[in-house]
Amino acid sequence: MSSASSDSGSSHHVVAKSALFGLTVGAIGVVFGDIGTSPLYAFREALKLTADDGLVASEIFGVLSMALWSLFLVVTVKYVIFLMRADNQGEGGVLALAALARRALGWRSMTAIVLGAAGASLFYGDAMITPALSVLSAIEGLRTLPGMQNAISEGTIMAITIAILVGLFLIQSHGTARVSTLFGPVCILWFLVIGALGAWHIADEPNILGAINPAHAVAFLAHHGTLGLFVLGAVFLTVTGAEALTADMGHFGPLPIRIGWFVLVAPALCLNYFGQGAYALKSLELIQASGRAFGPNDNADWFFLMAPDAFRPWLVGLATLATIIASQAVITGAYSLTQQAVQLGLLPRLRVRNTSADYAGQIYLPSVNWLLLIGILVLVIQFRNSSDMAAAYGIAVTGTMVITTCLAYIVVRHRWNWPRHWAIALIAPFLTLDLIFFGANILRVIEGGWVPLVIAAAIGFVIYTWVRGKSIVRTFEQRQSVPLADLAAALARRGPERVEGTAIFLTGNPEAAPGALLHNLKHNKVLHAANLIATVKTADRPQIDDADRLVITRLDDNFTSIVLRYGFMESPDVPADLQTAAKAGLLALDPMKASYFIGRNTLKADAEVGMPIWQDRIFMFLQRNASDPTDFLRIPPGKVLELGEQVTV
């Protein structure tokens, strides 16, 4: 078996001790926001399902045991220990893993592409539900304040939630560089507070610590049948946000994330869940002592009720800040994932704005921002409370986890070159656990679990339509293409009239003559003094070293071929890179005298060709609304000429 280190190479960041503390604080603020706010609703929702037919002490132990072992097996073992080693030059997340798997499979890479697209589609469902559920849960804490249970209506809670969410999305265009410096300290305070609250209440029922014994979880599932699976689906809410550990790995490196998890986050979460279990157990004993059984109406907002009355308003405020931070992490994750999808050719080009001059990763995508906000507001208005929305949460996350595990098998088997039996032995337990959780959550489709599935299906269909449409256009262009070497030889023998300056023809295939070049020769009957055939390619890795950015091949006196390579986390800047090459003496290029030629075909729908006509129209809509290639490649608009023809899709 080969070591995983061959994959990571430069990815395992060598962090100076002076920077390690700052990176760890930053990781706590960004990476753990989602999983850190799960105590607001996870234990409550799991106990709610259990209490429908009454509640006994063994069931509290069983639910708590499942929560604790879910944190250990899913987050600690699978993500922190294993998956953080399967990185793509330091980058993690489902698309980064898909790119790594695609490179490992070579010509069989369609499996990795499909899995990556499916995982990305499910992530958007998560990105919509996380802000809606977490902020709504925090604001519902107002009802736990003394005398406020009946004073604050559901409509008031929804109005406050919507106002916070709208405000959060309105500030996205200004960037988060300034406020993000508060994320780490606020989240550290959050974890210290929830850990202290839990530890304080463990003293009420110290025997609750016995829930660490997995026999309680096994006994609960064995004795509760189908209900046990429903409860397991709710228990899964404790580990939502685990994907962020790998998705944000490129920003901080694995070591700060691991330190944050083991030193602060995991202990705080475990203490809080122990405290909620102890508080629920104490309440159960008091109810039984009064001569009645624990019923559904006795299930309470355990998280907020653990706090003393005088401290509870401050806890609600802190929880609101923590959920806003968790929402921000998911929003920026959606931006990054979309940028990756665009670079990998899964989505049309979208306008990307950098919101920080210092950090290239801080970006803003207006279209994604407003679509997310609309989806989130629809969810809040539709579900109205966090309990109903919680049923919709787990499916998107478990689906993404199943896909991540499948991609990890490809990497272990084909990238790390492990023997099949060892790869299966490693991955099978993780996949089995993921499938159990997915099966438990799929039972809740009728309760609201259909929402993320519909969102994922819609986005998956958009990805399929875009990829299929681009494939049809590419096939048409290949049929019409002429080998560049043949054209260069013909023009060398008998060239057209020459004009001064440099023409830069952008094409997707450096071996074929660009369509814009052929149209220019056909209609304008001229050839520039210098002609650069430029191809922009996206690599299956996050970044490309500057030394490997350009590959320049001189074909003859008329033509020079240039291949510009970018990582899937980078934004192309063709003029800047060409100018850098010119200054280095690699190209004879005067940027002021250069003109860019881009092929721009007109699409025509045809029921007899390619896709069904209704799908043609969707593809044409996506094409029309895609960001202009001059913006995407950062080419000055005044230097661009577009030439093309009609293509039937």
Side-chain angles (χ1 to χ4, degrees):
M1 294 184 294
S2 66
S3 168
S5 61
S6 61
D7 225 355
S8 304
S10 61
S11 67
H12 291 288
H13 300 215
V14 179
V15 183
K17 289 183 178 180
S18 58
L20 184 58
F21 177 77
L23 287 171
T24 303
V25 171
I28 291 171
V30 174
V31 174
F32 299 110
D34 190 355
I35 196 170
T37 53
S38 294
L40 287 169
Y41 47 80
F43 186 76
R44 180 194 71 198
E45 292 306 311
L47 218 57
K48 176 185 176 183
L49 294 173
T50 312
D52 278 346
D53 58 349
L55 188 72
V56 294
S58 62
E59 292 175 322
I60 294 177
F61 276 88
V63 169
L64 181 56
S65 184
M66 286 191 290
L68 296 171
W69 279 93
S70 296
L71 284 170
F72 176 71
L73 294 174
V74 175
V75 185
T76 303
V77 177
K78 179 184 172 184
Y79 281 91
V80 176
I81 294 177
F82 167 57
L83 278 179
M84 288 181 69
R85 292 177 57 81
D87 63 300
N88 191 347
Q89 286 192 329
E91 293 293 336
V94 67
L95 278 185
L97 198 58
L100 190 63
R102 186 169 73 171
R103 197 189 319 159
L105 289 175
W107 61 271
R108 299 168 296 171
S109 61
M110 183 54 66
T111 301
I113 295 172
V114 171
L115 287 172
S121 301
L122 286 165
F123 177 84
Y124 287 104
D126 181 15
M128 289 184 186
I129 296 175
T130 294
L133 175 59
S134 57
V135 175
L136 193 56
S137 298
I139 302 304
E140 285 175 345
L142 292 172
R143 285 182 168 174
T144 66
L145 302 181
M148 300 293 283
Q149 182 172 1
N150 299 317
I152 297 182
S153 66
E154 184 180 77
T156 301
I157 290 174
M158 287 178 58
I160 297 172
T161 300
I162 289 172
I164 290 173
L165 290 169
V166 170
L168 177 62
F169 279 88
L170 285 175
I171 67 170
Q172 295 301 315
S173 61
H174 301 289
T176 58
R178 292 181 181 176
V179 295
S180 62
T181 57
L182 298 174
F183 286 4
V186 170
C187 282
I188 288 174
L189 177 62
W190 168 255
F191 286 116
L192 290 174
V193 168
I194 68 173
L197 278 175
W200 181 38
H201 280 280
I202 290 174
D204 295 341
E205 294 286 345
N207 61 329
I208 196 66
L209 294 173
I212 197 66
N213 184 347
H216 292 290
V218 174
F220 182 93
L221 292 172
H223 292 105
H224 286 77
T226 304
L227 176 62
L229 291 177
F230 276 97
V231 175
L232 185 62
V235 165
F236 183 79
L237 295 172
T238 59
V239 299
T240 54
E243 283 284 331
L245 273 68
T246 55
D248 290 310
M249 190 164 49
H251 296 288
F252 304 101
L255 183 57
I257 294 174
R258 286 181 173 133
I259 291 174
W261 175 253
F262 285 114
V263 173
L264 177 63
V265 179
L269 290 175
C270 290
L271 284 172
N272 191 266
Y273 286 124
F274 271 124
Q276 290 193 52
Y279 191 82
L281 192 60
K282 186 72 172 180
S283 299
L284 172 65
E285 292 174 355
L286 292 174
I287 289 172
Q288 290 176 336
S290 68
R292 64 184 184 88
F294 190 106
N297 294 331
D298 293 309
N299 191 45
D301 212 333
W302 307 109
F303 177 85
F304 287 109
L305 291 177
M306 283 198 298
D309 292 350
F311 180 71
R312 203 170 297 152
W314 298 99
L315 182 61
V316 173
L318 182 60
T320 303
L321 287 176
T323 55
I324 289 172
I325 292 171
S327 302
Q328 180 63 57
V330 173
I331 293 167
T332 54
Y335 295 159
S336 297
L337 187 80
T338 304
Q339 184 186 36
Q340 293 179 39
V342 169
Q343 285 286 70
L344 292 171
L346 300 178
L347 288 173
R349 293 181 302 270
L350 298 173
R351 190 157 64 94
V352 179
R353 283 173 45 192
N354 287 87
T355 58
S356 171
D358 301 318
Y359 301 100
Q362 292 196 8
I363 57 175
Y364 169 67
L365 284 78
S367 54
V368 175
N369 188 70
W370 302 122
L371 286 173
L372 277 178
L373 176 59
I374 292 170
I376 288 167
L377 294 183
V378 168
L379 289 175
V380 172
I381 294 170
Q382 174 68 30
F383 286 100
R384 307 184 69 83
N385 63 76
S386 62
S387 290
D388 290 344
M389 197 181 299
Y393 198 13
I395 291 179
V397 183
T398 52
T400 305
M401 286 185 173
V402 170
I403 290 168
T404 299
T405 304
C406 293
L407 289 169
Y409 171 78
I410 296 174
V411 172
V412 171
R413 175 72 181 92
H414 298 282
R415 185 69 181 173
W416 296 355
N417 296 319
W418 283 31
R420 180 177 285 106
H421 60 279
W422 284 114
I424 292 174
L426 175 65
I427 298 298
F430 295 132
L431 185 60
T432 301
L433 188 64
D434 290 339
L435 290 173
I436 290 172
F437 275 122
F438 183 75
N441 277 278
I442 208 72
L443 294 172
R444 309 186 76 183
V445 167
I446 299 176
E447 299 177 54
W450 56 271
V451 172
L453 294 180
V454 169
I455 295 171
I459 294 171
F461 177 74
V462 168
I463 291 174
Y464 169 75
T465 300
W466 178 253
V467 172
R468 173 70 177 138
K470 293 297 288 184
S471 175
I472 292 172
V473 173
R474 193 180 306 112
T475 301
F476 172 84
E477 292 174 343
Q478 288 173 349
R479 286 201 305 264
Q480 304 295 318
S481 67
V482 175
L484 182 58
D486 293 350
L487 179 65
L491 293 175
R493 291 192 300 268
R494 184 181 177 185
E497 183 178 345
R498 306 298 288 265
V499 295
E500 293 184 1
T502 301
I504 302 172
F505 295 93
L506 291 155
T507 178
N509 181 7
E511 304 297 326
L517 170 60
L518 297 176
H519 289 302
N520 190 47
L521 289 169
K522 178 180 179 181
H523 298 291
N524 297 327
K525 297 179 173 57
V526 295
L527 188 68
H528 283 69
N531 300 273
L532 306 182
I533 311 301
T535 303
V536 176
K537 290 191 173 183
T538 302
D540 290 332
R541 59 190 67 200
Q543 285 91 26
I544 297 294
D545 294 336
D546 290 340
D548 301 326
R549 178 79 66 205
L550 278 78
V551 177
I552 301 173
T553 306
R554 183 175 174 81
L555 302 177
D556 60 15
D557 292 339
N558 293 326
F559 295 100
T560 299
S561 173
I562 303 172
V563 177
L564 297 102
R565 300 172 67 238
Y566 295 93
F568 58 76
M569 291 291 289
E570 296 179 298
S571 297
D573 192 338
V574 172
D577 289 318
L578 291 180
Q579 187 167 3
T580 300
K583 287 181 178 179
L586 301 175
L587 285 174
L589 171 66
D590 183 352
M592 299 303 295
K593 295 183 179 180
S595 298
Y596 291 85
F597 289 79
I598 295 178
R600 171 86 77 168
N601 294 317
T602 302
L603 303 180
K604 178 184 176 183
D606 190 332
E608 304 300 323
V609 179
M611 299 180 292
I613 195 163
W614 57 270
Q615 198 172 3
D616 288 340
R617 299 196 185 283
I618 294 174
F619 175 68
M620 292 165 65
F621 172 81
L622 294 173
Q623 181 83 301
R624 284 195 305 270
N625 288 276
S627 173
D628 192 284
T630 58
D631 291 337
F632 184 72
L633 301 175
R634 301 192 185 182
I635 300 171
K639 292 183 172 291
V640 175
L641 288 86
E642 295 183 351
L643 299 169
E645 58 188 308
Q646 192 175 80
V647 180
T648 301
V649 294

